[in-house]
Amino acid sequence: MAGIPLRKARTIIRKTLEAGHEMGLKPLSVIVLDEGGNVLAFEREDGSSPGRFQIAHGKAYGAVMMGVAGTAQLARAEAQPAFIAAVNAAFGGALVPVPGGILVRDGKGRVLGSVGVTGDTSDNDAAAGRAGIEAAGLVAEI
């Protein structure tokens, strides 16, 4: 498999939103990026604030461009804030280093792209995203 097919990107979004509903989360916004950081698909639920695209994108973009999921980025930001600030500057301020930025891998461990979820707490965003990715038959690294 080369990258995330659009059909699977749509499945990831649909299943992430369904998981959010089952968990009783606030309205979510979900983005799927390819392995180069390009947008494949995005949806923002009714009731989500308009800035959620940028937040979801920043979570997903940091994950795929650094090759490190949001949870690990947050730990790195706490341990080495100057490094994360420099990386964020290199990425034009697009990095949002918190949970909810999820790497998407295939069964062999290859990075296919990333998912960014925002709208509830970062940990809940990550859990909903994991459910969506796994429902699409892929591996989530949160």
Side-chain angles (χ1 to χ4, degrees):
M1 176 188 306
I4 302 170
L6 181 58
R7 177 182 54 79
K8 284 202 182 245
R10 289 177 173 153
T11 298
I12 290 168
I13 290 173
R14 186 178 77 251
K15 294 297 187 178
T16 297
L17 297 177
E18 287 176 11
H21 291 210
E22 290 169 7
M23 296 168 64
L25 304 184
K26 295 175 184 172
L28 298 178
S29 296
V30 185
I31 196 166
V32 180
L33 304 183
D34 68 14
E35 65 275 17
N38 302 296
V39 177
L40 291 170
F42 171 78
E43 284 192 29
R44 182 174 61 90
E45 287 190 295
D46 293 343
S48 296
S49 61
R52 292 294 175 176
F53 175 87
Q54 289 83 356
I55 297 168
H57 183 269
K59 289 181 174 188
Y61 191 74
V64 75
M65 297 307 285
M66 292 182 66
V68 178
T71 301
Q73 289 178 55
L74 177 60
R76 185 95 184 250
E78 291 168 345
Q80 296 177 307
F83 173 77
I84 292 297
V87 170
N88 199 18
F91 292 158
L95 185 69
V96 179
V98 296
I102 308 162
L103 283 176
V104 179
R105 297 183 182 271
D106 65 12
K108 295 181 180 179
R110 292 179 294 224
V111 174
L112 303 176
S114 63
V115 171
V117 182
T118 184
D120 205 272
T121 67
S122 292
D123 289 335
N124 285 342
D125 294 343
R130 171 184 270 167
I133 292 164
E134 291 175 352
L138 300 169
V139 178
E141 181 181 323
I142 64 167

